[in-house]
Amino acid sequence: MATEQKEKRIVEIAPGCFNIRAPFTVLGGLLDAGTHMTMIKLKTGRFIALSTVNLDANLKLEVDALTNNGELIDAIIGTNPFHTLAFQGWFAAYPNAKFYGTPRHLRNYPSIKWAGSIGDESIRKLWEPEVFMRIPAGCEFDNPQPESTNHFNGIVAFHTASRTDDAFSVTNKPGFIKGTLLGLRDHEISFHFSLYHQALYKTAEAPKDFYDWVLALIADWDFDNMATAHGGYMIGDAKKELTLGLEKARKSLSDLAPFKVAGLIDVGTHMTFIRLSTGKFVAFSTVVLDGDAKAEVDALTSNGNLLEAVVATNAHHTMAFEAFNKSYPSAAFYGTPRHIRKYPSIPWKGDVSDKSVLTLWDSEIAMKNTDVGVVWDVPNVPEFNHFPGVLVYHRATRTMLVDDCYVIAKNTGFLMKLAIGSGNDDMGFHPRFIAALSEDKDAPEQFYKWMVDMLNEWDVENIATAHSGVQIGGAGSGLRIALNTIAKGKLGAVAKQRGNPLAIVP
């Protein structure tokens, strides 16, 4: 009598990478979303397990056969805060393995003898260079809320084959819901739905932090295959499909990004390259370095060989610097104090607070900090106060570059004109300008005199701004009008209130 052959649960999807699929039902058992774990065979012949699934009797037989009854299991690792249900079973079956969990695993299952938190970078590096692990940027990993749905963030790991958890999803043979309603095609890589609603931090920078993080992962890891918890696995072309998936997600991410106010008004942003007399370039500020932008930057700078420096000009314009540093590591990077604190992995050449940095290219490019009478290093009300920054003046073209200091009113709508106090097409100051002033009694006068001196020193004809475009011609006179308007209005009122009225220059 023939013996029924059970289908093997453990599948070697790439050399040394063993994937295990398991059922996982949602919607009260109506839909099987599936789940998985992966066992990676190290060069020593021992194994690490990434995530876990229910360890039934048949699966245990296969795991025992693969790992010599568990003696070859080095570690079992929790990779997603919400993939927790099977860990106690694995701990009971293989107590001699080391168990590492996310912070939520450690909090929820104190009976397991945890060897450490995978949130600790030193632990994520334990198996390099065979296995690399990263945590997506811009999202909460320790305690994602709400717990019922925000399951996006988790460890992404890379071996000869790549596997991920909830962050990415591979679509295999999409049915009516995924194919018809959601518009997903076969072998498409997409992102967990909570990315666009709950997963990202509620900050201006989070969408681009995540976008840049995925770009860096694509650049750094030479992967070809991918295994995901709720969408199966893909053999071949995974990097290409992740790149396409990120490009498809870019529109939705940009709707969440700081360049759109309340997700409705696209206020734009910018960066500027100035060619020096040597033929080399200095870049001021950064924007997202997508495929098209990088191709143009490469063409302009001879694949980055002519890019001498990248300079941060506003403390809150930070999101694309890591991507630029990875793409053009030979360039010198200069940051505001906030950049340097926020991105310690970038080998900063200097701080733009340092006067010696501001004069590096002085014969061709003049730079000044708006730090007179203004809180510059840690601007008060940081989520809104983006006024302070470095002003840049290109002497050859008489062009000033600014980020958030000034606004070209004619390039904005009614609400922005109202916010900057300009009912016509004159220039204006950033809406949070007054909040940027220091509490010093003389701060309004100090700033006003600094602006007058700057306009007398720099013969400004053109201006390029981050959020209101470019004005060719008449920029200097426009700035003088804006200064006099605010001196007679909000700035003058604050000066008078502090007991030191402004002496306005005709």
Side-chain angles (χ1 to χ4, degrees):
M1 183 175 174
T3 302
E4 182 181 352
Q5 296 291 319
K6 292 186 177 295
E7 184 178 354
K8 289 190 65 174
R9 297 277 301 282
I10 300 179
V11 179
E12 188 172 12
I13 63 173
C17 187
F18 299 83
N19 191 244
I20 305 170
R21 302 295 308 171
F24 181 74
T25 58
V26 295
L27 300 179
L30 295 176
L31 177 65
D32 183 2
T35 189
H36 82 150
M37 66 178 289
T38 299
M39 302 190 72
I40 291 178
K41 188 173 186 179
L42 305 173
K43 290 180 180 179
T44 60
R46 301 182 67 80
F47 291 83
I48 61 171
L50 304 175
S51 198
T52 58
V53 298
N54 182 44
L55 189 64
D56 59 31
N58 290 328
L59 178 58
K60 189 175 186 304
L61 287 174
E62 290 192 46
V63 173
D64 286 348
L66 183 67
T67 65
N68 192 25
N69 297 315
E71 291 182 8
L72 297 179
I73 300 178
D74 262 357
I76 297 174
I77 302 164
T79 55
N80 184 286
F82 296 94
H83 289 204
T84 61
L85 300 178
F87 273 84
Q88 287 179 309
W90 280 77
F91 180 65
Y94 305 107
N96 294 327
K98 290 185 176 180
F99 280 73
Y100 299 91
T102 69
R104 187 173 183 272
H105 283 84
L106 273 62
R107 288 193 298 269
N108 287 12
Y109 296 98
S111 62
I112 294 176
K113 187 179 178 182
W114 299 104
S117 170
I118 201 67
D120 185 337
E121 185 177 7
S122 64
I123 289 177
R124 295 198 300 276
K125 291 179 175 291
L126 284 175
W127 301 278
E128 293 183 5
E130 293 185 71
V131 181
F132 294 86
M133 300 183 194
R134 292 184 182 180
I135 299 174
C139 318
E140 177 62 24
F141 179 72
D142 186 319
N143 188 28
Q145 296 294 326
E147 289 201 349
S148 59
T149 52
N150 186 6
H151 297 184
F152 174 81
N153 208 358
I155 296 292
V156 177
F158 170 57
H159 179 231
T160 303
S162 172
R163 56 83 55 199
T164 67
D165 228 308
D166 273 353
F168 309 144
S169 178
V170 173
T171 300
N172 286 324
K173 298 178 180 178
F176 175 76
I177 293 177
K178 287 188 175 182
T180 304
L181 297 184
L182 299 182
L184 298 175
R185 58 179 171 77
D186 195 27
H187 292 135
E188 179 172 343
I189 293 177
S190 56
F191 300 96
H192 191 272
F193 69 88
S194 63
L195 171 65
Y196 307 109
H197 307 287
Q198 301 163 333
L200 292 171
Y201 288 126
K202 306 306 180 187
T203 66
E205 298 156 341
K208 285 200 172 182
D209 283 347
F210 175 75
Y211 183 88
D212 288 347
W213 180 87
V214 180
L215 282 180
L217 182 143
I218 291 170
D220 294 346
W221 290 358
D222 186 22
F223 60 94
D224 197 37
N225 313 308
M226 180 178 287
T228 68
H230 304 307
Y233 55 82
M234 172 184 291
I235 303 301
D237 290 334
K239 178 180 282 197
K240 182 186 79 172
E241 288 295 337
L242 180 57
T243 304
L244 292 173
L246 180 63
E247 182 63 22
K248 185 175 180 179
R250 185 170 64 154
K251 173 62 169 63
S252 296
L253 287 171
S254 68
D255 286 344
L256 304 172
F259 314 124
K260 290 206 173 182
V261 179
L264 298 174
I265 305 171
D266 186 353
V267 296
T269 190
H270 80 153
M271 71 179 293
T272 302
F273 289 81
I274 292 180
R275 191 199 304 267
L276 303 173
S277 57
T278 61
K280 291 198 169 185
F281 291 85
V282 179
F284 294 93
S285 197
T286 58
V287 297
V288 170
L289 193 64
D290 58 22
D292 291 340
K294 188 176 187 307
E296 292 194 44
V297 173
D298 286 349
L300 182 68
T301 65
S302 186
N303 296 317
N305 292 320
L306 297 179
L307 185 57
E308 182 170 313
V310 180
V311 182
T313 51
N314 184 286
H316 293 273
H317 289 211
T318 63
M319 290 170 257
F321 273 84
E322 285 187 312
F324 264 83
N325 180 243
K326 287 183 179 296
S327 293
Y328 307 108
S330 61
F333 281 74
Y334 299 89
T336 70
R338 186 171 184 267
H339 283 80
I340 294 168
R341 289 191 297 269
K342 186 175 177 63
Y343 297 108
S345 61
I346 295 177
W348 298 102
K349 182 77 171 178
D351 183 337
V352 293
S353 298
D354 187 336
K355 302 299 183 184
S356 65
V357 172
L358 295 176
T359 57
L360 281 173
W361 304 280
D362 197 54
S363 63
E364 299 182 59
I365 302 170
M367 293 188 281
K368 292 180 183 289
N369 284 332
T370 53
D371 57 359
V372 179
V374 172
V375 180
W376 194 81
D377 182 2
V378 186
N380 48 318
V381 201
E383 65 270 29
F384 294 115
N385 186 7
H386 296 187
F387 172 81
V390 177
L391 304 184
V392 179
Y393 177 62
H394 185 218
R395 300 184 189 278
T397 60
R398 298 166 60 196
T399 300
M400 178 189 283
L401 312 177
V402 303
D403 283 335
D404 292 0
C405 298
Y406 312 125
V407 178
I408 302 171
K410 67 181 180 182
N411 294 341
T412 67
F414 170 75
L415 291 177
M416 180 58 78
K417 288 181 180 180
L418 186 65
I420 66 177
S422 175
N424 51 39
D425 286 344
D426 293 335
M427 287 188 186
F429 285 76
H430 188 276
R432 297 295 299 179
F433 162 62
I434 296 299
L437 291 172
S438 73
E439 296 181 359
D440 191 319
K441 171 186 174 182
D442 298 327
E445 180 187 31
Q446 291 170 352
F447 177 78
Y448 177 75
K449 288 183 176 179
W450 178 86
M451 273 289 300
V452 170
D453 290 342
M454 182 268 291
L455 289 171
N456 287 335
E457 180 183 347
W458 291 356
D459 185 18
V460 178
E461 179 64 15
N462 314 303
I463 190 169
T465 72
H467 305 306
S468 58
V470 175
Q471 179 170 318
I472 304 301
S477 60
L479 286 171
R480 291 181 188 276
I481 293 171
L483 180 60
N484 283 333
T485 299
I486 202 166
K488 294 174 182 177
K490 294 179 181 179
L491 183 63
V494 173
K496 186 176 181 180
Q497 184 181 19
R498 295 185 183 185
N500 188 15
L502 293 179
I504 299 176
V505 177

